[in-house]
Amino acid sequence: MPKSYDVIVVGAGSMGMSAGYELASRGAKTLLIDAFDPPHNMGSHHGEPRLIRHAYHGGDTYVKMALRADERWLALEKATGLKLLERSGVLNMAETSFYNYEGRLDAAAANGVHVELLRAAEINRRFPGIQLPDSFQGMYEPNAGYLYSEQCVAAYKQQAIAAGADLLVNSFVTHIEANPSSATVHTETAAYTAPQIIVTVGAWFKMLSAHVSLPIRAVRKVVGWFETSSPAFDAGVFPGFTWGGAAGGYYGFPSIGGAGIKIGRHDTGVEWTPGEPLAPFGTYPEDEEDLRGALDAFVPGAAGKLLQSAVCKYEFTPDEDFIIDTHPEHANVLLAGGFSGHGFKFASVVGEILADKLEKKNTGYDLGLFEISRFAK
């Protein structure tokens, strides 16, 4: 007979581990199942760190969720004694013909988020090392920063187990059966049942396409750490950043502990099919060329020797907004995915939202933005 739980969480990465902790802390008998042993390098949460910003594109829902996520990360820090969040400030830079930050200001102001709009000359003056032409503008958020992503997942793992959750690692889910009163999750060696389940498997959703078909496109992404020529790029001095224009959209971080400036490209990428090998960094010339080209364009003093590299995955929806919704055919199955390369910062609040939805509570957010039905319209 399958072993029974109150809730089963399929996928114990950033979103799943947060949800598992939240459920267990509320007294639910919870099972977390993961194909690997989180934190790991087979998903989207490795290769520290991740930006956390509050003056967000997409409107009021994202801003409110980002602020709540920040509160939850600080609570997790306090509970575990681990350093998870650094308030480095985040500087967003874009060609004015490509993007205008003024659309974010109303939602930011309505939620008490402090931001500064800056001309290129002011950015160059305030942040030595940056060399922007006059065609750029910026938006600086001093209270934003970055999260140590693997440490965050490890912290939620610690707390989930301490709250009583069971964690089953290195166990691929082969299929899921659901009916109105229960769902059964099958691995290669066993079966587990619960009245309700959450499925949040990141770039691996296609492995469960027989149970749920979502418009999620998994993409191979690369990041690199480059040697810098000046302490102006060091953590504690230089902010987290985004930079975008005709050459593409990029994001990055100061040199932390001498590791070098980290930079990745948000757009483009080679599609990846779950189960296939993930091509290592350097397989394609653009792996390094694109990153180095972006650094040369606005922080040439940080475009030194490649010190380290990593390959991970994004899971894009067509509109790059998330999916947080019930299964179209099974009201007792919750789905969370398609976080599109900007979701990690929200993991702490997404876990809370998923637990609230299972308990039929008002989440306090307008989640219409994340409904699956939008793709049919």
Side-chain angles (χ1 to χ4, degrees), residues 47-196:
E48 311 267 21
R50 297 292 188 278
L51 293 175
I52 179 165
R53 297 171 287 161
H54 313 107
Y56 220 72
H57 62 84
D60 194 66
T61 295
Y62 273 120
V63 175
K64 283 181 164 57
M65 286 175 60
L67 291 169
R68 177 59 177 166
D70 193 294
E71 293 176 3
R72 301 291 293 164
W73 291 123
L74 293 181
L76 186 61
E77 272 195 341
K78 185 175 180 180
T80 60
L82 299 171
K83 183 63 177 174
L84 305 177
L85 192 160
E86 298 281 3
R87 296 209 188 276
S88 62
V90 172
L91 176 63
N92 304 277
M93 299 164 279
E95 287 183 282
T96 54
S97 60
F98 174 78
Y99 190 82
N100 191 314
Y101 295 109
E102 291 181 3
R104 301 192 194 185
L105 298 184
D106 288 345
N111 289 282
V113 178
H114 176 54
V115 296
E116 302 174 57
L117 284 183
L118 302 174
R119 295 182 182 275
E122 176 65 7
I123 293 171
N124 296 342
R125 184 187 68 79
R126 287 176 56 175
F127 300 96
I130 295 180
Q131 298 179 19
L132 290 179
D134 290 341
S135 58
F136 275 72
Q137 78 167 173
M139 183 183 74
Y140 180 59
E141 188 180 339
N143 293 321
Y146 51 86
L147 295 156
Y148 297 113
S149 54
E150 293 165 60
Q151 192 85 307
C152 290
V153 174
Y156 267 130
K157 177 179 180 178
Q158 172 192 317
Q159 291 298 98
I161 293 170
D166 288 346
L167 174 61
L168 183 64
V169 300
N170 300 314
S171 299
F172 271 88
V173 169
T174 56
H175 66 287
I176 297 170
E177 299 171 295
N179 61 56
S181 60
S182 69
T184 301
V185 178
H186 296 264
T187 68
E188 295 168 327
T189 59
Y192 307 87
T193 187
Q196 302 178 101

